[in-house]
Amino acid sequence: MTVTDPIADMLTRIRNAQMARHRYVDVPTSKMKHAIAQILADEGYIERVEVIEAKPRNLLRLWLKYDENKKPAITNLKRVSKPGRRIYAGKREIPWVLSGIGIAILSTSRGIMTDRQARRLGVGGEVLCYVW
């Protein structure tokens, strides 16, 4: 079965795994999903990212992060730009997520990066998702 929006599928898998309090979640891999997962790990929203060699396709294993009370580190994930409606932001219109508490993940001409990195480099791009 083909997925029309693989990034939304990845975010939904993370959201569902956290609601079920799973330790990790496996997602079919792609370069963009790997870059998004690495940003989530670098920003402290997930513990780590592993690539699992599998047939017919490799998987990304995302180790989810919880606090002492088993509350997930990610409060919410929101897909912004969708295949049916792309949302772009110039370098001056990059959105702030919850006044800087959360992050926006952008696809720019210099790669996938957070809103803070894009502002620092002075580039805009497609707003993929919000995480807080």
Side-chain angles (χ1 to χ4, degrees), residues 50-96:
E50 295 176 1
V51 177
I52 306 295
E53 301 288 330
K55 293 287 182 186
R57 188 169 183 179
N58 294 343
L59 297 172
L60 285 175
R61 179 162 288 171
L62 311 177
W63 292 87
L64 303 176
K65 191 174 188 178
Y66 300 95
D67 66 5
E68 309 84 38
N69 301 325
K70 284 294 264 182
K71 289 187 69 177
I74 298 174
T75 306
N76 205 350
L77 300 158
K78 181 181 178 191
R79 178 76 159 117
V80 178
S81 184
K82 301 173 182 169
R85 179 158 161 60
R86 301 290 184 184
I87 306 295
Y88 295 95
K91 64 182 180 181
R92 291 187 180 88
E93 297 103 29
I94 296 173
W96 288 92

Side-chain angles (χ1 to χ4, degrees), residues 87-127:
I87 306 295
Y88 295 95
K91 64 182 180 181
R92 291 187 180 88
E93 297 103 29
I94 296 173
W96 288 92
V97 180
L98 293 179
S99 301
I101 295 172
I103 62 168
I105 299 178
L106 286 84
S107 175
T108 68
S109 58
R110 296 191 185 176
I112 309 290
M113 62 183 67
T114 66
D115 54 343
R116 289 183 210 104
Q117 292 169 324
R119 276 190 209 91
R120 192 173 344 104
L121 293 174
V123 294
E126 182 181 356
V127 183

Side-chain angles (χ1 to χ4, degrees), residues 2 6 10-11 16 21 27 29 56 60 70 75 82 119:
T2 58
M10 174 181 156
L11 298 177
N16 290 342
R21 303 291 191 256
V27 179
T29 190
L60 285 175
K70 284 294 264 182
T75 306
K82 301 173 182 169
R119 276 190 209 91

Side-chain angles (χ1 to χ4, degrees), residues 10 14 18 25 34 36-50 61-66 73-74 77:
M10 174 181 156
I14 293 171
Q18 285 189 327
V25 63
H34 191 271
I36 291 170
Q38 195 59 53
I39 287 174
L40 292 175
D42 293 344
E43 294 290 322
Y45 288 107
I46 60 176
E47 286 184 19
R48 66 182 186 274
V49 180
E50 295 176 1
R61 179 162 288 171
L62 311 177
W63 292 87
L64 303 176
K65 191 174 188 178
Y66 300 95
I74 298 174
L77 300 158

